[in-house]
Structures are given as C-alpha cells and as structure tokens.
Amino acid sequence: MIEALRELARRLLAEERVRVVIGYGQSSPQGPVHPLFITRAEDAEQLVWNRQCFSNLTAYLTRKDVRALGPAAVVVKGCDERTITVLEKEAQLERERVFVVGMVCEGMGDPGLPKCQVCDRHRPRLADETLGEAVDREVPALERYAALEAFLARPAEQRMAYWQEELARCVKCYACRQVCPLCYCERCIVDKNRPAVIDTSATLKGNFAWHITRAFHLAGRCVACGECARVCPVGIDLTLLNQSLARAAEEAYGFRAGEDPRVEPLVGSWSPQDREDFIR
Amino acid sequence: MSHAIRKEALRALVGSWLAEGKRVAGPVAVGPGRVLYQPLVSPERLLLDGFIRTVNSIKAFVFPRHEELYAYRFRGRQVELIDAPLPEEEQIVIGARPCDAAALPVLDHVFRWGTPDRSYERRRELTTVVTLACREYDDHCFCTSLDSGPRDERGSDVLLVEIDEETYEVVWLTSKGKDLFVRHTERADRKGTIGTGPKRKFDAAALERFLAENFESPVWETFALRCLGCGACAYDCPTCHCFDIVDEGDRHGGMRVRNWDSCQFALFTLHASGHNPRTAQAQRIRQRIYHKFRIYPDKFGDTLCTGCGNCSRGCPVHLGIRPVLEAISALERKPQSAPPKTP
C-alpha cells in the first residue's frame, strides 16, 4: 500500500494535477508519525502509511498557507473523509480542487483507538482513489455510543463532578480547536474581545464556557474523528461532549454528519415536515 | 558519608506534610501514560518513577495560568480598586525534574527585572522545590545539548538521587530544603549515581552562529505548514512565561486578570489597529526560537530553554524546539547543501 501511495503521489505531482500532497511522514522508523507536505514528485518516497497515522489531515485543507500552494491531494482514512463532506457542504472547499486519496484502514494505534473499535468505515467511500482492500463492518448505533451511554448512566452529580475534575486541568492551549478540521472560523468566538463573549481565563467558569460553546458549535457537524481528545495535553475526553450532541442528531433526525454527501447539513437546512411548528 | 531517605519514608514524610496542612504538589497519573504535576491529596498518588516527564511543568506553582491582579467596582462616576490578596500559603513541589527546577532561576530574570512582580516573588519565597535526578530519558530530552543534565541543581532546594531501588540520597542545597529533610534522613555510606543524560542532539554554538545571521532563512518555513498554531508547546514549557492581561466583568465591576498566552497564536501580536506584525506561522516559530536562544540570552545572559523536550512531547504534530534546532544544526554542518527536506 505504501508503494501504491507513493506512486500515486508522484503521478499527481508530476502531472501537475495537484501542487501539494498532504500525507504522513516519519523522521525515523521508530519516531512518531506526523503530517507531511510533499510538493516535489521526487520527495514522494518520504510518505508513510502504518498504524500510527492518527492525524486527520483534512484540517489543513482550509488553512490559508496550504491553500496558497494550489490544488491539494490529501490522504484520508474512512473517519477523516467525513469532514471533507461537511467542509464541502459548508462551502469551505471546492471538492474538485481536492484530490482525495482514501486509505483502507484497520484501525490506528495498538490496541486501536476507541473510535477504531466501533469504526464502520474501514474503507473510504468518497475518495477519488482508494488504496487497499477490506470489508466494512456494520456497527449498530448503540455500540458507537456505548461509552457515552455508560457515562450518561451515572447520576447527574457524579457527571458534574467528573467534568469539574476534568475541565479543571484545561489550560486553554486550544490544541482541540487548532487540530479540529471543522474549527475553521477565522476568528473564534473565544478570541473576540470587543466585546469579550467568553472568559479567556482558564478557570472552571471559563473552561466550561469554552468547551460547552465549542461542543454546541460542532453539534450536527462533528464527525467523531476524535482528534480533539487525542491531542489534549491534559487528557480531557472531549469526545464525550461531542458524542452526546451527535447522538441527539442521530436519534432525533437520523442524521450523521459527513455520512452522505447528498444529504443537506442538519444545521443549515430545514424541512416543512419538521415536527416542531416554529419552522412553518 | 551522605544523607539518605528510604522511598517509603519519603512517602510517609509527604503524608506528614499533607497532614500538617501544607500544600504539596507532585507528579500524579491522570490517565494511561499521562502524568501531570498536580496538587496532592494523598501521598499514595505521588508518582516517583515509571515515567520520563510530566506533561506540564512546575512553573504553574509560581506563575499560575490564571491570576487575579485586582478587582474594580464602579461606584457612580468613581472606580474603586481592590488589590487581590498576595499568596500566603507555603507549598512544596516534590518530584520535580531538574529541567523544571532549572527553569525557575531563568524565570526569575524576567519577573525580577525592573519592577519586581510581587505575586511571583511571594510564590517563589513560599515554594520549596524537591527535585528528583533523572535516570531515564527519551528521544525528546536534550538538556545535555544546553549545558544542563540529569542532576542539574539550579532552582532546586533539595536534590534526590537514587542510590538503589529502596533509597534516595538527599542533597540539600538551601536552608529551606534542609529544614524539610534534616530530621528525616539517615546516614549512608553510598551516594546516588546516575548516568550522563541523553546524548547531545545539536550544537549550541552552531545555533548561536546561525541565529546571528539567519533571521531571514527558508528554515523558518520548513515546519510552518505542519504547525497547527496551538499553545501546547508554550503551556507545557517550564520557561515560557508570556501572558495576557484582560478585564473580565460586567457593568458593575470585575477583575483584571493575568492569563498565560502563547506566541504561536495568531492573535498574540494582533494590534488594536488591526495590524499584525506576525501574519504567518513561520514568523511565529522563528520568534519562539529567537526569544529562547538569542533575545533572552542577549538580555539576561541565560537561555530560555532547559532542554526538557516537553514542547515536542506535547505537540499534536510532533514539532517543538528540538526538530527545528536539529534542522538548523544540519544546515550549519552542510552550509552548501540543498534547502531542508520537505516539512
């Protein structure tokens, strides 16, 4: 698969179909895998593919300095490609300017990340070219939300105590926001200071305000790539927050963000059949 | 002859400090493979081995991420100012790494420069640092490249050096440190020994030469595309000390507070006029390196980095100081070579 990937990258760059290939690299065979930007066909051999390719590289597609390079190819896993659908639906990228390289994925990490344990998209469906062979496994909704269910089964006071303990550690480094492909706002609400809307202080109040606001802004948009939780230096499981809103969207509207490019986004579309009357 | 304490006696001593009502902080596991300096609630949670470094640094105990400077209250057309109380509680940080403790004298330069910072000063006086010399290192450690090492004594009040699996040698370096341990150690005829530290990863002299001449260099672009622009590197760093001062309140009054800030945020240099002198991530990465290895040394004669490697360890995309300095080192070795590898 690595060779096929390198060959594809070489071809895309040599034929000038793209100006940059966003993939994974590794500075040494034992070293950590990191995002890599290939702009010359002869550098394609630096690309790697293994079980350490955690990053959701679609986060780079909306960045000004990456866009400035020209049309891009991006290497995605099944979980990552959902963000491309959301970005396209939200008019953040022109799908035809991006060449999506789908990688069949058996899970990242060893043992796999929690999201990989319940993954139902080992094989990307929307890529321009997909490398590798595997069969998808259907995961019933319940299983996908099992961790959330277990958490919600705890009494409210315990859940509040949990969040107070977890969010007390947040230092507001904003790694969660910066790594998120869907946190593409040019000026995040927490950075607005005329007037300030959310306390910038990393106090319990400021941290609750920040994480709750972010979760709400991702409602019906978060694709559960889990990058926010993976990169959090202090180990806060932010996926619990996002998942509770994702589950609400799935239960109430049968909607899963990024799942189907033909379906209009949940927040950004309406239907006269809606059971609430305010819409009519 | 040296002073020694058995590990279980040390834990009991920590328990007695807690029982006396002292504030004690040390490494605590908060999740699989994740250790943070946290206030201790019980001596059992204190983690003294089995990990390389904590994710965060001990700077938070002298320079908290959020600090109230004073309150203001509107009274008709008058504004009443109320000073925030200065810290009063003594605190002990136990199990600090030498690269954490060594950052304290580095921070002192800036907080004691000009008008001394009263709350920093007070916290420094109230804090006793008990450091544990390092026996293990990882690929991110580079203290030895900066003339430091696994038993650097700077900034520590006590240095613990492992003698064997059950015992630490206790080296007190200040009277504050001695007071904590003096009645709790036993005589030992062995001293603690440790290795020489991680291998040198770059040449500090070459770095100095490079920075003198390469404010404009393609090397600053090398990692800019990859960098996400978050503040994890700065916030996990024992020496980074930039802060933002903001007012938080409502129409009745509020609080002027000081919060950590990071030069890697686009907002960091945004002027009120809308002008931003550092518009690109490459400029922000360059700033971080220059501040640490040229601006600070020029001003204070000290490096704004202790080689702890936390900036790389905590980086979502595995950047941080070391990869940049290694790239510079490589350029200095081969001045005629091609531009650096694609980031």
Side-chain angles (χ1 to χ4, degrees):
Chain A
M1 245 167 116
I2 288 193
E3 266 321 307
L5 171 65
R6 290 172 181 166
E7 186 46 46
L8 177 59
R10 226 171 268 135
R11 206 177 73 223
L12 290 170
L13 287 163
E15 292 171 3
E16 298 190 347
R17 289 188 62 184
V18 302
R19 293 284 178 185
V20 58
V21 175
I22 311 171
Y24 299 96
Q26 208 164 8
S27 42
S28 70
Q30 282 77 42
V33 171
H34 56 72
L36 180 73
F37 299 82
I38 301 284
T39 52
R40 301 184 301 189
E42 61 265 34
D43 292 335
E45 68 199 48
Q46 295 172 24
L47 288 166
V48 300
W49 174 254
N50 56 40
R51 287 186 75 103
Q52 304 299 312
C53 297
F54 297 108
S55 291
N56 180 348
L57 302 173
T58 64
Y60 290 106
L61 291 174
T62 52
R63 306 218 150 208
K64 273 196 195 116
D65 44 357
V66 176
R67 282 183 170 214
L69 297 174
V74 62
V75 177
V76 300
K77 308 180 286 290
C79 47
D80 307 331
E81 74 169 355
R82 290 191 175 98
T83 50
I84 292 187
T85 303
V86 179
L87 288 171
E88 187 192 2
K89 285 287 170 194
E90 295 180 356
Q92 294 306 309
L93 59 82
E94 295 160 73
R95 181 63 183 82
E96 60 279 6
R97 266 175 64 89
V98 180
F99 190 98
V100 180
V101 181
M103 301 301 282
V104 170
C105 171
E106 299 284 351
M108 284 298 145
D110 195 17
L113 295 173
K115 70 167 177 180
C116 305
Q117 318 278 353
V118 298
C119 172
D120 59 355
R121 204 184 278 198
H122 297 288
R123 185 183 173 79
R125 292 174 205 164
L126 312 166
D128 295 293
E129 198 157 327
T130 302
L131 307 175
E133 288 299 328
V135 189
D136 263 359
R137 186 170 68 93
E138 276 292 325
V139 179
L142 193 68
E143 201 182 319
R144 253 189 289 122
Y145 296 114
L148 176 69
E149 291 288 350
F151 180 71
L152 292 177
R154 290 155 67 174
E157 311 82 69
Q158 270 189 32
R159 281 182 278 142
M160 192 58 180
Y162 170 86
W163 285 116
Q164 284 180 337
E165 192 181 329
E166 294 299 298
L167 296 185
R169 293 199 303 273
C170 173
V171 291
K172 285 198 170 162
C173 69
Y174 298 122
C176 49
R177 175 185 73 183
Q178 297 305 109
V179 81
C180 177
L182 299 173
C183 271
Y184 54 72
C185 291
E186 265 198 31
R187 190 148 181 183
C188 175
I189 193 163
V190 77
D191 287 340
K192 290 194 173 156
N193 50 9
R194 288 186 298 182
V197 186
I198 295 176
D199 285 1
T200 53
S201 296
T203 52
L204 210 47
K205 172 173 172 259
N207 289 349
F208 266 80
W210 160 240
H211 289 290
I212 291 172
T213 304
R214 184 168 173 273
F216 270 101
H217 201 189
L218 287 166
R221 304 175 59 232
C222 171
V223 301
C225 74
E227 284 286 275
C228 50
R230 183 183 67 85
V231 304
C232 177
V234 297
I236 302 169
D237 184 7
L238 293 168
T239 56
L240 276 179
L241 285 180
N242 296 326
Q243 283 283 77
S244 70
L245 291 161
R247 193 187 62 160
E250 197 161 340
E251 278 180 3
Y253 303 100
F255 181 86
R256 224 179 134 192
E259 187 65 7
D260 186 346
R262 293 161 306 183
V263 175
E264 287 308 307
L266 183 64
V267 187
S269 62
W270 62 282
S271 158
Q273 273 76 51
D274 197 292
R275 60 183 175 204
E276 301 290 341
D277 352 310
F278 71 89
I279 207 94
R280 286 190 276 272
Chain B
M1 288 296 270
S2 59
H3 305 282
I5 190 166
R6 295 176 67 80
K7 290 185 181 177
E8 62 208 58
L10 177 67
R11 205 173 282 281
L13 183 58
V14 170
S16 72
W17 295 335
L18 286 168
E20 290 164 26
K22 287 189 174 130
R23 280 164 56 105
V24 186
V28 169
V30 297
R34 200 181 305 267
V35 182
L36 293 176
Y37 291 118
Q38 295 262 279
L40 284 177
V41 284
S42 76
E44 289 76 37
R45 290 201 66 189
L46 174 66
L47 207 61
L48 290 169
D49 38 41
F51 66 100
I52 302 292
R53 250 208 69 96
T54 53
V55 172
N56 59 355
S57 83
I58 66 167
K59 77 174 171 196
F61 301 107
V62 291
F63 169 49
R65 70 195 189 202
H66 167 80
E67 185 169 32
E68 292 170 353
L69 302 177
Y70 56 82
Y72 56 89
R73 219 173 312 170
F74 300 118
R75 297 211 178 271
R77 306 182 71 165
Q78 303 293 313
V79 181
E80 186 191 354
L81 300 181
I82 308 133
D83 272 337
L86 284 173
E88 283 169 9
E89 260 186 303
E90 278 184 43
Q91 55 181 354
I92 301 162
V93 179
I94 179 147
R97 292 288 187 232
C99 45
D100 267 309
L104 298 178
V106 177
L107 291 175
D108 289 346
H109 295 307
V110 75
F111 285 108
R112 289 175 175 168
W113 164 59
T115 307
D117 190 298
R118 286 192 307 156
S119 58
Y120 174 86
E121 201 67 51
R122 182 66 73 87
R123 282 198 179 84
R124 275 288 267 140
E125 284 162 19
L126 293 169
T127 307
T128 309
V129 179
V130 182
T131 303
L132 182 57
C134 298
R135 295 177 54 84
E136 289 180 293
Y137 333 105
D138 66 12
D139 291 343
H140 301 297
C141 295
F142 60 95
C143 52
T144 46
S145 308
L146 294 171
D147 291 332
S148 177
R151 59 170 302 161
D152 193 329
E153 294 178 352
R154 285 179 298 164
S156 299
D157 295 291
V158 175
L159 186 70
L160 303 174
V161 190
E162 196 173 274
I163 294 176
D164 55 41
E165 279 188 12
E166 268 109 51
T167 324
Y168 292 122
E169 181 192 350
V170 182
V171 184
W172 42 72
L173 303 160
T174 64
S175 55
K176 227 169 22 172
K178 186 176 178 183
D179 290 347
L180 272 185
F181 278 87
V182 71
R183 287 181 310 278
H184 304 281
T185 56
E186 41 194 271
R187 291 282 185 180
D189 43 16
R190 283 186 300 158
K191 284 181 173 295
T193 50
I194 45 159
T196 51
K199 71 170 172 56
R200 277 179 180 266
K201 300 209 162 79
F202 56 84
D203 176 4
L207 173 67
E208 209 180 312
R209 283 198 303 277
F210 182 87
L211 294 182
E213 289 161 11
N214 288 280
F215 190 73
E216 304 290 345
S217 159
V219 79
W220 307 119
E221 306 280 345
T222 313
F223 301 106
L225 288 177
R226 201 210 294 180
C227 175
L228 294 165
C230 75
C233 50
Y235 292 0
D236 294 343
C237 171
T239 62
C240 273
H241 54 264
C242 285
F243 54 78
D244 186 25
I245 291 181
V246 287
D247 290 348
E248 288 179 345
D250 54 28
R251 63 197 177 88
H252 304 293
M255 196 70 86
R256 177 153 293 185
V257 301
R258 166 161 80 181
N259 293 329
W260 286 356
D261 204 351
S262 164
C263 57
Q264 300 307 294
F265 294 143
L267 208 67
F268 185 74
T269 45
L270 182 63
H271 296 182
S273 66
H275 172 65
N276 195 339
R278 289 183 214 134
T279 48
Q281 204 61 34
Q283 296 167 318
R284 297 177 201 125
I285 292 172
R286 175 178 66 188
Q287 168 62 26
R288 192 152 191 274
I289 301 287
Y290 264 86
H291 190 197
K292 288 186 173 297
F293 299 99
R294 188 165 166 88
I295 301 168
Y296 209 81
D298 275 359
K299 191 163 183 62
F300 297 115
D302 210 345
T303 308
L304 191 58
C305 176
T306 60
C308 75
N310 256 8
C311 49
S312 297
R313 243 175 249 112
C315 176
V317 292
H318 308 291
L319 279 174
I321 297 284
R322 184 186 43 80
V324 182
L325 298 196
E326 281 174 348
I328 290 174
S329 254
L331 280 179
E332 275 290 291
R333 275 199 299 276
K334 285 179 281 177
Q336 305 305 320
S337 69
K341 232 166 61 161
T342 314

